[in-house]
Each structure stands twice: as structure tokens, then as C-alpha cells.
Amino acid sequence: MIIGVPKEIKTHEYRVGLTPTSVRELVSHRHQVIVEKGAGTGIGATDAVYEKAGARIGDPWEAELIVKVKEPQGPERARLQERQVLFTYLHLAPDPEQTEGLLRSGAICIAYETVTSPR
């Protein structure tokens, strides 16, 4: 699977969807990981560290699975496609605009906050 890690664009969000250690683990299981340039800056992880872990620096929106931290902002929702899976916090209840945008995208969207057990 190709997994994409975009740089978070929500104001004051410095976290990143996957750490270099997580990237290394995924790559060891033969997944490809595409990390957006500068995505790890907020946690002190340079692009070179991600590359050393096995990631490619590029456009994460080309991936099959997109792993983020915060709910997708308008420009991010516009990039989602039907062939993709989004895994992130969504908090849909207070945000009908986000909900409608995600539905329009046709992507499969999995909210971290709804995953409560391993099965």
C-alpha cells in the first residue's frame, strides 16, 4: 500500500501523522510512504530523517491511504479522491461543512476517535 503523510495546515498544529519510527515499521512491511516536504518540522524530524527511515519526500495526496492528525481543511478535502482512505481525527458532529465535503469526495474516512478496539 502507498501511504501519504501530509504536512498539517491547521493553525498551530505541529504534530504529524506518522513519526520516522512509524515510517520505518511500515516500510519494513513493504509499504511505500510518501511524506510531504517539511511535514515533520513541528516534531523536529527533518525530511532527511524521514528519507533515512525509508520514506520518499513528495506529494502525499497521490497515496491510497492518507494519515493525518487534524480534520482535513477545505483545500485538503478538495484533494481527496474516491480511491483513497483518510485516517485522522474528524470531529464531524459540530462541522457539517466538513461532513458534506468528505461525502462529496467519495473517500473512505476513518476517524481516530471512533476506533475503540483492535477488532
Side-chain angles (χ1 to χ4, degrees):
M1 175 174 275
I2 302 171
I3 302 163
V5 183
K7 181 177 174 110
E8 296 292 330
I9 62 172
K10 187 167 185 177
T11 304
H12 301 299
E13 181 55 64
Y14 305 104
R15 296 172 292 178
V16 62
L18 293 174
T19 64
T21 301
S22 298
V23 168
R24 186 176 305 107
E25 180 72 17
L26 289 166
V27 169
S28 78
H29 290 282
R30 294 191 259 198
H31 297 289
Q32 297 175 44
V33 181
I34 305 169
V35 176
E36 187 170 0
K37 182 177 175 54
T41 303
I43 65 165
T46 65
D47 294 342
V49 170
Y50 276 102
E51 288 175 316
K52 186 175 180 183
R56 173 170 61 89
I57 303 303
D59 183 359
W61 298 97
E62 297 172 359
E64 300 159 293
L65 170 64
I66 307 295
V67 180
K68 288 181 41 58
V69 176
K70 294 304 286 181
E71 69 278 1
Q73 304 301 292
E76 294 171 317
R77 290 192 300 269
R79 297 196 70 185
L80 280 172
Q81 300 176 28
E82 190 172 313
R83 64 176 181 79
Q84 293 175 311
V85 176
L86 172 66
F87 190 44
T88 190
Y89 283 110
L90 290 175
H91 310 293
L92 296 172
D95 194 348
E97 182 180 335
Q98 177 190 187
T99 304
E100 291 165 10
L102 293 175
L103 285 169
R104 276 192 304 276
S105 76
I108 296 169
C109 301
I110 303 169
Y112 287 155
E113 67 268 22
T114 64
V115 178
T116 58
S117 71
R119 296 180 219 177

